[in-house]
Amino acid sequence: RLPSEAEWEYAARAGTTTARFWGDGRSEACSYANVHDLTIVSALDMPKNQHVFSCADGHVYTSPVDTFQPNPWGLNDMLGNVRQWMSDCWHGGYERAPTDGESWEQGGDCSRRVTRGGSWFSNAWVTRAATRGAYTIGVRNFTVGFRVARDN
């Protein structure tokens, strides 16, 4: 099954309280995630701005799974590479959200689902544990993928 938004954020943070599980810095991002960095800027002849990670991960587009260091709980690719679909319907905020970690599938816009984690094309503002986005169900996009959760 797809994880809930709450499950995903808990796993992505892995007990940390910073913007990214490796800390708040941007220069070390390329050791931990496939992000919008100097590799992409150079390969695609894009302008460099303050939102580009100032490192080079060696991947212009998606990277193979487990290329980068895992978070403190041993989970790879929680940030970067592809935005990950969640099971939750899109809500603009957390007012009346479930408090038990379950998927939030009542109310909101259920024609769209939450995405988390940023992608290889996501800038530093998006590639954080707290950033949320949404895509319409059924949309195909080269920056979106999924991760599955398993119940014991």
Side-chain angles (χ1 to χ4, degrees):
R1 65 177 175 81
L2 293 176
S4 72
E5 192 174 0
E7 289 172 321
W8 182 89
E9 186 166 339
Y10 181 75
R13 288 187 179 280
T16 65
T17 58
T18 53
R20 301 163 194 90
F21 62 83
W22 62 82
D24 291 323
R26 295 181 184 181
S27 61
E28 60 270 26
C30 293
S31 295
Y32 298 94
N34 182 10
V35 294
H36 188 82
D37 62 354
L38 300 176
T39 304
I40 294 171
V41 168
S42 175
L44 302 181
D45 196 27
M46 300 174 74
K48 182 181 181 239
N49 62 40
Q50 73 272 18
H51 299 295
V52 172
F53 284 94
S54 60
C55 57
D57 62 26
H59 297 275
V60 178
Y61 302 108
T62 55
S63 61
V65 173
D66 295 346
T67 297
F68 301 93
Q69 295 179 44
N71 73 11
W73 291 352
L75 299 170
N76 292 82
D77 306 315
M78 293 301 293
L79 297 176
N81 213 23
V82 293
R83 294 182 63 89
Q84 298 172 38
W85 286 105
M86 302 297 113
S87 59
D88 303 66
C89 297
W90 175 254
H91 294 80
Y94 293 116
E95 187 176 342
R96 293 191 217 101
T99 58
D100 60 2
E102 292 293 317
S103 181
W104 193 7
E105 298 184 46
Q106 283 72 41
D109 180 358
C110 291
S111 71
R112 299 189 306 158
R113 297 293 170 143
V114 175
T115 59
R116 301 290 295 264
S119 76
W120 58 269
F121 198 66
S122 297
N123 64 37
W125 177 251
V126 174
T127 310
R128 303 177 303 128
T131 300
R132 310 168 65 234
Y135 280 93
T136 302
I137 292 173
V139 73
R140 290 181 176 189
N141 187 301
F142 53 86
T143 65
V144 178
F146 63 93
R147 158 181 313 269
V148 295
R150 181 179 67 189
D151 296 320
N152 288 333

